[in-house]
Amino acid sequence: MLNIVIFGAPGSGKGTQSERILEKYGVNHISTGDVLRAEIKAETELGKTAKGFIDQGQLIPDSLMIDILAAKLDSFVGSKGVIFDGFPRTIAQADALKAMLNERGQDVTVMLELDVPEDELMTRLIKRGIESGRTDDNEETIKKRLKVYHEQTSPLKEWYKNDGKHCYINGLGDLDRIFADIVAAIESKK
Ligand code: AP5
Ligand code: MG
């Protein structure tokens, strides 16, 4: 089982590189942001709750997010492994993911930290906001998302270093070069 945590600030390229990883390795992909946006689109109760948090650039409460993740994980049959994109985002989520995988006789194989300077993140997300209209891709909400990332999510770098899974990836520049670095990191840990 190849369980990959793809990690980084908003706009660091988690979704973009996940597509390439799943194509090469044939693993499943869970983007918790995509799951929540689908619920919002379908106007479910969960979607209504999620929208309030997402539009404020805040995280959905851990207990809710962990239940959603567990249900999604259980929906995969005969999986070769999973890319976790946008999860975990808090220490509580990282603890829960480890427990969930351990219960299934698995663990995280590698945690890929995509590192991108803040001015580039802002440029990418403003551009995407104009092109795709994601409601949280506006300057005010992006600033809030970055603050939440620094305060609640970036401590996970140390968490995964302590767990022996952390790999640093320079996420600035050419997509093919970044992907080549990702493949090298995956191969070094699997
Ligand atoms: P989520 O959907 O996960 O958003 P995010 O983390 O803010 O990240 P993005 O999806 O915006 O960026 P990305 O890293 O995937 O980059 P991408 O490849 O798209 O979460 C949204 C919200 O949902 C959260 O704020 C929270 O409210 C909630 N949520 C989600 N998960 C949660 C959790 N676990 N717990 C609690 N709440 C949760 O690339 C960005 C842009 O840059 C694209 O336009 C792309 O084309 C471009 N690009 C990519 N790579 C490059 C490159 N190398 N050079 C130039 N441009 C590039
Ligand atoms: Mg994404």
Side-chain angles (χ1 to χ4, degrees), residues 64-155:
L64 187 56
M65 203 66 244
I66 289 164
D67 286 349
I68 296 168
L69 201 274
K72 188 87 184 153
L73 199 54
D74 284 333
S75 75
F76 298 140
V77 179
S79 174
K80 289 185 187 173
V82 178
I83 306 170
F84 297 92
D85 163 1
F87 187 100
R89 268 176 142 94
T90 62
I91 302 278
Q93 291 181 16
D95 288 335
L97 179 61
K98 191 169 180 76
M100 241 183 272
L101 291 173
N102 287 356
E103 275 168 25
R104 292 164 174 79
Q106 302 175 40
D107 202 350
V108 167
T109 311
V110 62
M111 184 272 213
L112 305 164
E113 179 204 342
L114 289 172
D115 182 42
V116 176
E118 205 130 300
D119 55 343
E120 167 73 6
L121 295 172
M122 189 54 94
T123 305
R124 288 183 190 180
L125 294 178
I126 295 276
K127 181 163 174 264
R128 190 180 61 187
I130 293 164
E131 288 166 357
S132 81
R134 227 176 94 168
T135 55
D136 56 349
D137 283 344
N138 60 77
E139 189 170 349
E140 192 191 341
T141 313
I142 296 165
K143 281 186 182 154
K144 288 185 191 160
R145 286 157 66 197
L146 290 170
K147 187 165 183 280
V148 166
Y149 172 77
H150 289 301
E151 290 175 359
Q152 299 187 51
T153 305
S154 67

